[in-house]
Amino acid sequence: MLLAYVVLAAIIVALLRGGKLTHVAQAPLRCLWLPIAAFGLEAAIGPLVRLLPWPPQKWLWLVVLSGYLLLGAFLFFNRHFRSTSLLAVGTALNFLVISLNNWQMPVSAQILEIPAMAPVLEKMTVGTLVEYAVASDTTRLLWLGDVIRVDFIPGMTFGSVGDFVLAAGIFWLVQEVMLPSRQWVWHKGKD
């Protein structure tokens, strides 16, 4: 949800700075299908829990790793944008904490104290929202998990350091695409 708000804010700021939406279609943004496929994999986790006969612990790592490989490939193919360095750091931070915690994003234990989060907590407990887990004493690198309280953002309660780094990278990428520099125009001519 945070990323959707960031994209909207970035577009508005770029327009106010004189950017144009038409530049998006002309931008040398490659393999846009890769992050779409990665987010599609993430969205498929819930249905996979119901469809697959195996417990999520047997296959979740493969789905999560595949999604991050797709994101990594997208960043590699678009490394000509300066913002991809920031996107890579945010992606790496989220991947690190997830990979060290049974392929689940740890969520602050404060979630237990928020009545509005009871439905989400129930999904995590019964195993229909397996990509998240309530943090415990055994959680590794908890400070990289979803521990930053962001309930002032509609539709969110917690975010991670990686989420905010990704948000900054996406904001920057939108600025780069909508307000092309001379380097971008030069690069476009080289392809």
Side-chain angles (χ1 to χ4, degrees):
M1 198 58 143
L2 172 65
L3 301 183
Y5 292 126
V6 169
V7 168
L8 181 61
I11 289 170
I12 292 168
V13 168
L15 289 171
L16 291 172
R17 293 179 60 210
K20 296 184 182 329
L21 283 171
T22 55
H23 289 156
V24 175
Q26 302 164 355
L29 197 58
R30 299 182 179 126
C31 303
L32 192 56
W33 65 270
L34 289 167
I36 293 168
F39 290 117
L41 275 175
E42 184 178 349
I45 291 174
L48 287 174
V49 168
R50 293 185 296 277
L51 294 172
L52 294 176
W54 310 287
Q57 296 80 8
K58 299 271 187 193
W59 53 265
L60 184 61
W61 69 273
L62 181 60
V63 175
V64 173
L65 181 60
S66 297
Y68 276 94
L69 287 173
L70 291 170
L71 291 174
F74 172 75
L75 294 172
F76 176 79
F77 290 127
N78 289 286
R79 65 191 181 280
H80 51 277
F81 286 104
R82 285 178 254 155
S83 56
T84 56
S85 58
L86 203 52
L87 290 167
V89 170
T91 301
L93 291 174
N94 279 347
F95 178 76
L96 179 63
V97 71
I98 289 169
S99 65
L100 291 176
N101 288 287
N102 299 318
W103 302 98
Q104 298 173 304
M105 175 60 88
V107 179
S108 172
Q110 289 180 357
I111 194 171
L112 302 169
E113 304 163 7
I114 304 170
M117 293 304 295
V120 173
L121 186 59
E122 183 179 346
K123 288 179 183 179
M124 290 166 59
T125 305
V126 299
T128 56
L129 190 60
V130 297
E131 60 269 34
Y132 294 92
V134 177
S136 68
D137 294 340
T138 61
T139 301
R140 296 177 181 165
L141 297 179
L142 177 59
W143 64 277
L144 288 178
D146 280 353
V147 296
I148 302 169
R149 191 84 182 255
V150 290
D151 48 2
F152 56 90
I153 299 173
M156 288 190 67
T157 306
F158 294 99
S160 67
V161 171
D163 292 341
F164 285 96
V165 174
L166 278 169
I170 288 171
F171 188 90
W172 186 9
L173 179 62
V174 171
Q175 301 308 302
E176 283 187 289
V177 168
M178 289 183 63
L179 293 149
S181 66
R182 290 178 189 256
Q183 179 184 13
W184 181 86
V185 174
W186 175 83
H187 185 315
K188 182 180 171 199
K190 298 285 277 185
D191 287 346

